[in-house]
Amino acid sequence: RAWPRRRVRVISGSARGRRLESPRGTSVRPTSDRVREAVFNSLGSLDLVRGARVLDPFAGSGALGIEALSRGAAHAVFIDRDPDALRVVRTNLELTGLSDRATVRRGDALASVDREDRVDLVLADPPYGFDDWPALLGRLVDAVVVMESDRTIQVPPDWEVLRERRYGSTVVTIARCTDRDDHGRPTPEDRS
């Protein structure tokens, strides 16, 4: 399915209202403003964004990571395989004035996740055909993960679903490894 090139906007925070570009082609399906607003309202109510180190491993336009930065995330890493997508992410970071708190890197999402030292929040919006959630979650035990899909995602037994909601054809699941505190950080027992 070819997704039309469309502009989305930053919903809230320091870059509120700024329009973002999205790459051309069939591989990028930008998260709608409505879904992004609902996701970040949920994350805000769980106090998971402000000061967080964020990973956007299927960056596309960068809209998810940029929304996090706009709402006070400390830093965001954007990863995508597509050079055009990365060019758009860089453009969007410049448009929003958030480049100084971002790293943009070309690479495969699963391979790149292993290279991140510390990530608090992962915003995973892969192409709808993606089905390697167990491998992705297995590499992200120290982070809260937001997963967007066209179907319900079965998380591994050592993960708990914090929130799950369907928005039309999109299902958003927010989950974390079960040995976490209320902010997604390792419990004292995990640190020893």
Side-chain angles (χ1 to χ4, degrees), residues 83-124:
D84 184 46
L86 296 176
R87 181 192 57 73
V88 169
V89 170
R90 287 183 183 99
T91 297
N92 287 336
L93 286 165
E94 288 295 325
L95 287 170
T96 57
L98 298 169
S99 297
D100 61 327
R101 295 179 10 235
T103 302
V104 180
R105 193 167 52 231
R106 185 174 182 188
D108 174 78
L110 287 177
S112 296
V113 164
D114 290 333
R115 293 192 310 199
E116 295 308 314
D117 292 334
R118 183 180 145 254
V119 175
D120 303 306
L121 179 62
V122 177
L123 304 169

Side-chain angles (χ1 to χ4, degrees), residues 49 52-56 64-65 68 73 75-78 119-123:
V49 179
R53 294 189 52 83
V54 175
L55 176 64
D56 189 343
L64 290 173
H75 190 266
V77 176
F78 298 84
V119 175
D120 303 306
L121 179 62
V122 177
L123 304 169

Side-chain angles (χ1 to χ4, degrees), residues 142-173:
D142 292 329
V144 172
V145 182
V146 177
M147 299 168 275
E148 285 190 42
S149 183
D150 61 345
R151 59 193 170 279
T152 298
I153 297 166
Q154 298 300 315
V155 298
D158 55 340
W159 281 74
E160 67 176 322
V161 174
L162 302 175
R163 306 253 167 100
E164 183 178 90
R165 180 124 187 235
R166 177 177 287 277
Y167 304 91
S169 63
T170 302
V171 178
V172 176
T173 305

